[in-house]
Amino acid sequence: MKLITASILPKVIRKRPTKSFKGTYGKVALIGGNRNFGGAIIMSTLGTVYAGAGLTTAFTDPSNQTSLHNWVPEAMFADYQDQMHLNQLLPTMDVISLGSGLGTDDQDLQLIKLVFSLVSSHQVLLIDGSALTLIAKEKIPLPAATIILTPHQMEWERLTGVKLADQNPKTNQQAYNQLSINNSHLIAVVKSAQTEVFTPMGAFQNTTGTPAQAIGGMGDTLAGIISGFVAQFHNVNEAVLAAVYSHSAIADQLAQQQYVVLPHQISEALPRFMHEHQAD
Ligand SMILES: NC(=O)C1=CN([C@@H]2O[C@H](COP(=O)(O)OP(=O)(O)OC[C@H]3O[C@@H](n4cnc5c(N)ncnc54)[C@H](OP(=O)(O)O)[C@@H]3O)[C@@H](O)[C@H]2O)[C@@H](O)CC1
Ligand SMILES: Nc1ncnc2c1ncn2[C@@H]1O[C@H](COP(=O)(O)OP(=O)(O)O)[C@@H](O)[C@H]1O
Ligand SMILES: [Mg+2]
């Protein structure tokens, strides 16, 4: 297993060309955040916007609209139960992130099915949180698209059947290979204290990260940052690796002076971190 080190950053994070506009940097839809988990979609949206995605829309429960705009006015809001709006907007997106704080009710399951039916092969679909739990439980096949799965270890167990205690680079690789049989463009970010990333170009282990990150919303934030990187940087595999590295590298830096690192602090530190690591 190869290591993800700082050398990934200048490969991925490029100086922005002068002749560019917001459309150059990608359109992202983030779908999730029920009445109880509004924070999840807000943290995810912060990650995407602060990573530099050109246009970001959060599809969420209407009860989250005011808080979302207080935290991140750069993002647009849409009601995730508005099927017409989903039908209209999702086909225009470059990246769709589904599941952070979604919940596991029947209406959430119907929403996942609708999104899967709307996604097309040129788009990237990131699947996180409750959406992973539901597709594992209901055995929903993944659509034809570039798919990024971001499970924590219990979600990975639900998806693959590999028990948490048995998870290691070898069993995880076997499970990834099995999942890839029906999808040749699959990336699995298996999150833990030493996150492993499985891609069609090989398997990688992250070298950054701290227990100061063990707090709710940390994975929601990562899903947002990955979406923002993939929206604007062209090699999807490398963009995911750079996002995973950056998320935890910033946490390492903050943890030098903080007992715990709050997820939104990572997003807020991201533009400066990317500035420091951009290449010509
Ligand atoms: N502020 C918000 O709005 C927030 C909203 N959130 C949203 O909530 C939704 C549910 O997501 P979830 O991860 O909280 O719950 P679930 O999928 O049931 O997994 C937990 C179960 O697995 C077990 N477990 C064992 N190992 C584990 C591991 N390494 N990492 C994690 N869990 C591990 C664990 O064991 P225990 O802790 O009980 O010992 C427990 O039994 C999802 O949509 C998410 O986006 C959250 O992000 C929080 C902030
Ligand atoms: N001890 C740790 N060391 C490094 N990273 C950690 C540690 N604990 C948790 N993390 C990171 O925090 C995130 C947790 O993801 P997840 O459980 O999905 O969070 P949530 O759903 O609450 O947002 C992952 O990116 C994981 O790698
Ligand atoms: Mg999570």
Side-chain angles (χ1 to χ4, degrees), residues 128 150 152 155 191-195 208-211 213-222 247-248:
D128 183 49
T150 55
H152 60 52
E155 288 160 344
K191 298 178 296 191
S192 70
Q194 282 185 306
T195 294
T208 52
T210 157
Q213 278 176 277
I215 176 170
M218 195 51 73
D220 304 321
T221 298
L222 177 63
H247 172 252
S248 291

Side-chain angles (χ1 to χ4, degrees), residues 127-184:
I127 308 175
D128 183 49
S130 312
L132 293 168
T133 298
L134 274 176
I135 64 169
K137 181 163 171 255
E138 303 292 333
K139 300 192 171 40
I140 304 171
L142 298 173
T146 299
I147 304 279
I148 304 169
L149 306 174
T150 55
H152 60 52
Q153 288 173 291
M154 184 56 81
E155 288 160 344
W156 185 240
E157 176 179 322
R158 291 172 189 147
L159 271 176
T160 63
V162 181
K163 294 262 177 270
L164 213 148
D166 299 330
Q167 291 174 15
N168 59 52
K170 194 167 166 222
T171 56
N172 291 343
Q173 178 72 59
Q174 285 164 349
Y176 167 79
N177 294 347
Q178 198 64 33
L179 284 176
S180 298
I181 289 172
N182 296 319
N183 190 302
S184 55

Side-chain angles (χ1 to χ4, degrees), residues 106-117:
D106 193 51
Q107 66 170 28
D108 306 318
L109 177 62
Q110 296 316 319
L111 180 54
I112 291 170
K113 288 181 176 166
L114 175 67
V115 173
F116 279 20
S117 74

